[in-house]
Amino acid sequence: MRISRRKALSSALALGATTALLAGRVRGERASPPADRIRPPGALADAEFLDACVRCGLCVRACPYDVLRLADLGEPLPVGTPYFVARENACRMCEDIPCVPACPTGALDRSLVDVREARMGVADLTDAERCLSYSGAAYCHACFQACPVKGEAIRMQQGRTPGGGLIRPVVDPDRCTGCGLCEQACVLDGTAAITVRANHVSHR
Ligand code: SF4
Ligand code: SF4
Ligand code: SF4
């Protein structure tokens, strides 16, 4: 009897701990979301976004390119919240931004009407040594070509690079929307040389 009570108590404690963990995950108690998980265009700053988003998935359904997905249990983001991974499927910067009006709560801010004003994140040449242009291994400008705001958000800067190349992609963080199309287009195997870090402070 004593053993079964002890067992029952430890089971209850284990259940309580698991429930607290799951509740924390569902509520989104995560100090810093990973930088490669990017919120949709117009998303409010993280704390406000998590309060406003009801995890309905309507933005995901509205996206014609299946870019968005909802975080699942065990993923490093609050369960049921929408995000995308640029290297896998970047935001196409739809002119009518259908994911935004699909949101019933304003977690994706409807005052965003020009997708070029979105600030989902910012691109950077995070692994310059592997970049074919920067290292001089080849002339490549695939990331530049893929950018919907090319010439403003990204340009190919001429001039000798420390890596031995003659040209390199340079991002203007004030014009970059964080769509991730440059990261997706990078010709390297595996991780891209240019990557987008999510903007979890302000998405506009
Ligand atoms: S702007 Fe278009 S591609 Fe990007 S997340 Fe919204 S619906 Fe999807
Ligand atoms: S993330 Fe890349 S492709 Fe998108 S706007 Fe910025 S530089 Fe251009
Ligand atoms: S696509 Fe990749 S390898 Fe090519 S220039 Fe851009 S960052 Fe460099």
Side-chain angles (χ1 to χ4, degrees), residues 125 130-133 140-144 156 169 182 185-188 193-194:
L125 193 63
R130 287 176 61 239
C131 168
L132 299 180
S133 285
C140 172
H141 60 329
C143 52
F144 170 80
M156 296 304 290
C182 54
C186 179
V187 296
L188 298 180
I194 189 166

Side-chain angles (χ1 to χ4, degrees), residues 41 62-65 67-68 91-94 97-99:
C63 177
Y65 299 102
V67 167
L68 302 175
C91 170
R92 307 306 201 282
M93 285 180 58
C94 309
I97 336 176
C99 50

Side-chain angles (χ1 to χ4, degrees), residues 70-131:
L70 295 180
D72 214 341
L73 261 182
E75 289 192 57
L77 272 184
V79 173
T81 59
Y83 73 96
F84 67 94
V85 175
R87 186 65 165 155
E88 295 170 9
N89 198 4
C91 170
R92 307 306 201 282
M93 285 180 58
C94 309
E95 211 169 317
D96 53 346
I97 336 176
C99 50
V100 171
C103 174
T105 68
L108 304 183
D109 187 349
R110 285 179 181 229
S111 67
L112 177 69
V113 289
D114 180 356
V115 72
R116 293 158 68 102
E117 297 298 320
R119 293 295 177 267
M120 297 170 269
V122 64
D124 189 25
L125 193 63
T126 38
D127 199 354
E129 302 298 330
R130 287 176 61 239
C131 168

